[in-house]
């Protein structure tokens, strides 16, 4: 990246790697590389190294493995291949306005088996992102990262419906939660995002990021509120993975504290990367990376994305929202 | 206001005054003061003088007239009372999340008669807002303001459905259009707000403001795009009039060029209050005034709103969105 680093902390993501088949109003794609860990790691890799913990089956196509390797800062030592198993596969279809989608099929494959092993070399990770999976599995990863300084998890409606107690237990042990607007309402019964966010803080979180897709995101932090619009774009091809690239940009930027001196953040601030200021700032990076991801299927856009383009759009976003 | 004025232009609004009966999840209110002209003028009055053109019937309650008078900067010479007629009345009900509403009844009253007269004293108005009504009526007002420097109109789905040609003719004669997200899609057939906005620019507009309620607004201007989040708030009582107070804050701030020197805008910029910079900046004021309006029924919150409170929230909004 062209953003100078103030200091850095090692970043790890536990997530899924999937083979997606997707239909959108712009077209369709079969058996493309997807999964939360994939999108997160690719986005975070623009900021610095990112350690991936995930499992695939013996059917995982070499071409997809090579796509992951294309993102050099992704550490693939935690990518476990289970020869006798199948890779997670998902089929989905987006409706006309790209805001809602339906699942056509889900083949759990390795996701129905035990969670992937965390390599010993990852145990000194400081910044931890637990991408969406069963909250009990997310919790089980925590003890593998005893030096964690900031831990954030994603979740989804399924776990709120069938594993709310496990999710509540997880929440008590982490710093931040990232979830969709309707999921925040489902969890708390509160239709107002600020109220819903505060209820989640009451469970023990320091901050909640409520994702609203094309409408941006709302940060509810113990030390303040913020609202960020999405980057307005006409170039919408496939929204798959935008939530994960948003989180990847956010956590990648946080772990590297990219360009903090430019926004008036000091060396002292680097001691607390979960602060209101730090999180709010990191969400801009998440927003900008996600705005590229939506421009193509799979990692097709991130594969060709140049750090200069990211830098230009980051500045454009700032100038568009700055009065 | 505590925002210093650089220079000012006279502002006029043509709109409705209504008697509303409203049900929301927070409560209900009968026969309260409403209407687009009412909300617009009350919001704009925080910035400077605003001339109102509207008609009411002989049944218009003295208490409502006195509420309008409470906002001293509203010039009521253009408020026409028709003794033998009825005031426009509207009943509406908001659903649980406040994002959608249904109309329970509409009694057009004076709105079914000829449009109100524009006082000769208003003919030197420079900044013109045509609040939502039949686009042919909006067009007919234009010639009454021969010195207009900036003209903006609001519209609604009804006119897109039954009077699209008249609306298209109006669009060719004005500078900016303000409309809801779904209305922009209805007009253009484009689900993407940026694409929809550009199609509307192609008809001859200089800018389009697409309102998204709790999700903020998008500006599509010939000279650039912008996206603004709404002010995140838990205090949501009645969204009625938020679109009109948003427009009122926007146009009021534009007509007074409040605080432009603080945001780096120069004396020269005051020559072009329809510029990308000016409109983008004015939308912040609209956003902040609307965030107060939603806190109570009718003008109840704006009636007690102190300029200092507006100033504080304006600064808070800026600091929340500034990185």
């Amino acid at each position: 990246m062209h953003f100078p680093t103030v200091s850095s902390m090692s970043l790890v993501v536990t997530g899924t790697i999937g083979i997606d088949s997707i239909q959108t109003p712009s077209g369709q794609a079969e058996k493309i590389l997807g999964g939360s860990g994939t999108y997160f790691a690719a986005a975070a890799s623009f900021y610095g190294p990112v350690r991936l913990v995930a499992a695939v089956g013996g059917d995982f196509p070499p071409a997809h493995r090579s796509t992951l390797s294309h993102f050099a800062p992704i550490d693939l030592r935690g990518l476990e291949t289970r020869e006798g198993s199948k890779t997670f596969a998902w089929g989905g279809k987006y409706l006309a306005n790209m805001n809602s989608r339906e699942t056509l099929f889900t083949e759990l494959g390795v996701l129905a088996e035990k969670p992937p092993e965390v390599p010993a070399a990852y145990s000194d990770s400081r910044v931890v992102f637990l991408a969406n999976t069963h909250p009990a599995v997310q919790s089980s990863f925590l003890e593998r990262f005893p030096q964690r300084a900031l831990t954030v998890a994603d979740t989804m409606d399924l776990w709120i419906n069938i594993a709310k107690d496990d999710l509540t237990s997880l929440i008590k042990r982490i710093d931040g939660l990232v979830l969709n607007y309707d999921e925040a309402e489902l969890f708390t019964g509160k239709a107002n995002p600020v109220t819903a966010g505060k209820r989640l803080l009451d469970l023990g979180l320091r901050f909640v990021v409520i994702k609203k897709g094309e409408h941006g995101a709302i940060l509810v932090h113990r030390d303040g509120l913020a609202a960020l619009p999405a980057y307005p774009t006409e170039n919408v091809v496939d929204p798959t993975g935008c939530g994960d690239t948003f989180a990847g940009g956010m956590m990648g930027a946080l772990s590297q504290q990219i360009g903090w001196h430019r926004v008036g953040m000091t060396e002292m601030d680097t001691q607390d990367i979960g602060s209101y200021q730090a999180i709010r700032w990191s969400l801009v990076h998440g927003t900008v990376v996600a705005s590229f991801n939506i421009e193509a299927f799979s990692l097709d856009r991130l594969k060709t994305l140049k750090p200069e383009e990211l830098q230009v759009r980051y500045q454009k976003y700032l100038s568009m929202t700055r009065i």
Side-chain angles (χ1 to χ4, degrees), chain A:
Chain A
M1 275 299 286
H2 287 221
F3 303 105
T5 295
V6 170
S7 72
S8 70
M9 291 184 177
S10 49
L11 170 65
V12 67
V13 56
T14 64
T16 62
I17 291 181
I19 298 177
D20 290 349
S21 293
I22 292 165
Q23 298 170 31
T24 82
S26 307
Q28 62 178 69
E30 294 287 322
K31 300 190 174 174
I32 56 177
L33 178 60
S36 61
T38 298
Y39 282 110
F40 181 98
S45 76
F46 284 90
Y47 294 89
V50 50
R51 296 162 167 177
L52 177 64
V53 176
V56 294
D59 61 341
F60 191 59
H64 287 356
R65 195 178 295 268
S66 132
T67 297
L68 284 173
S69 308
H70 170 89
F71 295 87
I74 305 181
D75 183 338
L76 293 172
R77 284 176 295 172
L79 174 59
E80 199 181 317
T81 305
R82 298 175 184 172
E83 290 304 338
S85 305
K86 287 267 199 184
T87 305
F88 165 58
W90 177 77
K93 182 180 177 173
Y94 289 84
L95 307 184
N97 66 3
M98 299 274 193
N99 288 330
S100 44
R101 72 182 182 192
E102 53 187 72
T103 289
L104 300 177
F105 66 86
T106 303
E107 291 163 11
L108 286 176
V110 295
L111 296 193
E113 304 168 9
K114 68 179 169 63
E117 291 293 324
V118 176
Y122 288 8
S123 63
D124 62 352
S125 300
R126 304 296 314 282
V127 182
V128 178
F129 188 77
L130 307 167
N132 171 44
T133 189
H134 194 295
V137 174
Q138 290 174 304
S139 280
S140 75
F141 282 123
L142 288 179
E143 56 211 50
R144 308 306 310 271
F145 306 114
Q147 296 178 49
R148 61 188 188 276
L150 181 80
T151 307
V152 180
D154 193 2
T155 192
M156 71 183 291
D157 49 1
L158 176 65
W159 314 121
I160 297 168
N161 283 322
I162 71 169
K164 196 168 178 180
D165 287 350
D166 288 324
L167 186 53
T168 304
S169 301
L170 173 70
I171 282 173
K172 293 181 197 304
R173 302 176 64 193
I174 62 178
D175 303 287
L177 184 69
V178 173
L179 77 177
N180 290 331
Y181 192 22
D182 53 347
E183 292 162 351
E185 179 179 353
L186 178 68
F187 194 116
T188 63
K190 297 293 169 190
N192 181 289
V194 179
T195 308
K198 286 184 176 174
R199 291 293 170 104
L200 289 164
L201 295 191
D202 288 343
L203 297 177
L205 292 166
R206 192 169 180 201
F207 63 89
V208 177
V209 178
I210 296 176
K211 295 179 289 182
K212 304 196 295 176
E214 68 160 324
H215 301 307
I218 290 183
L219 169 65
V220 182
H221 190 289
R222 277 190 213 161
D223 297 321
L225 296 173
L228 290 94
Y231 183 84
T233 178
E234 290 187 87
N235 198 355
V236 178
V237 174
D238 177 16
T240 307
C242 280
D244 301 308
T245 48
F246 173 76
M250 169 199 172
M251 300 295 287
L254 277 176
S255 70
Q256 298 301 316
Q257 297 138 45
I258 301 289
W260 276 21
H261 68 287
R262 287 207 198 150
V263 291
M265 297 178 80
T266 64
E267 208 65 50
M268 209 181 71
D269 294 321
T270 66
Q271 305 301 312
D272 182 12
I273 64 168
S275 71
Y276 169 68
Q277 291 291 346
I279 300 298
R280 194 171 67 108
W281 157 90
S282 74
L283 296 178
V284 177
H285 288 283
T287 298
V288 173
V289 183
S291 79
F292 284 105
N293 181 63
I294 205 168
E295 295 178 2
F297 283 104
S298 190
L299 297 182
D300 289 0
R301 184 64 184 94
L302 296 191
K303 259 192 319 201
T304 65
L305 180 62
K306 295 186 184 71
E308 295 76 17
E309 294 175 289
L310 195 52
Q311 171 85 333
V312 165
R313 192 172 291 182
Y314 172 80
Q315 291 301 340
K316 200 168 168 192
Y317 181 86
L318 288 191
S319 72
M320 206 155 47
T321 55
R322 181 172 288 158
I323 300 295

